[in-house]
Amino acid sequence: MATALSPRFTPGANRLRSLFLDPAEQALYPGWEQAAAGMVAGFRQSIGADTDDPRCIELVGELSLASPLFSRLWARHDVVACAGAPKYVDHPQVGGLWLNRERLSVDGTIGQTLVVYHPAPGRTDADSLTLLAATTSGAHQRARAPQG
């Protein structure tokens, strides 16, 4: 379901990299620059004092060179704790969706979180997400069917 919402929601993909370097990801978020500012501030909060981590250094360097917006936002030194918040996504198949985002810590791990997007009950967003799930499920079933 995550990849139905965005093909870049895959294991090992970096959300920050996707948002700054992929125009299709930017198109999902009207006013994506505001979303980007929040993600950079949340990233700063998540790394805390661990700024010597080679992966962090590599990511910040890559994004600083590739994106003037990232470079400006990184230089602001904003820090914001990522909490649950509503997010608006303009999906190419089902249109606008208001989804609640929750970040949950994963016990027994260091620095891992689970991010869950869910619609408010009773809203048309839930119906749109159900339609997207049905469409994706059918495509997934056809892709897995034996060819012959």
Side-chain angles (χ1 to χ4, degrees):
M1 197 52 220
T3 55
L5 192 58
S6 168
R8 285 135 315 265
F9 283 166
T10 58
N14 183 286
R15 296 282 306 126
L16 204 56
R17 181 179 285 118
S18 295
L19 188 60
F20 280 97
L21 303 182
D22 189 334
E25 188 71 9
Q26 294 165 5
L28 287 175
Y29 302 97
W32 76 272
E33 291 182 5
Q34 183 178 359
M39 284 186 69
V40 171
F43 176 61
R44 273 198 178 277
Q45 188 274 334
S46 71
I47 61 171
D50 198 16
T51 57
D52 292 337
D53 182 309
R55 294 173 304 156
C56 175
I57 292 169
E58 181 181 346
L59 179 62
V60 169
E62 173 189 1
L63 295 178
S64 293
L65 291 173
S67 170
L69 176 61
F70 176 85
S71 186
R72 285 192 308 275
L73 293 172
W74 187 251
R76 287 181 4 188
H77 295 276
D78 293 345
V79 177
V80 174
C82 292
K87 295 289 180 190
Y88 184 77
V89 176
D90 187 12
H91 195 276
Q93 289 177 290
V94 296
L97 295 167
W98 276 103
L99 300 173
N100 297 313
R101 184 198 69 211
E102 306 296 336
R103 294 177 58 95
L104 309 168
S105 297
V106 178
D107 289 343
T109 66
I110 298 172
Q112 287 190 358
T113 57
L114 174 66
V115 179
V116 179
Y117 289 87
H118 59 93
R123 292 184 44 104
T124 59
D125 303 311
D127 295 337
S128 296
L129 208 55
T130 299
L131 176 62
L132 183 60
T135 303
T136 303
S137 176
H140 183 65
Q141 297 272 341
R142 288 189 298 277
R144 291 183 52 191
Q147 302 297 316

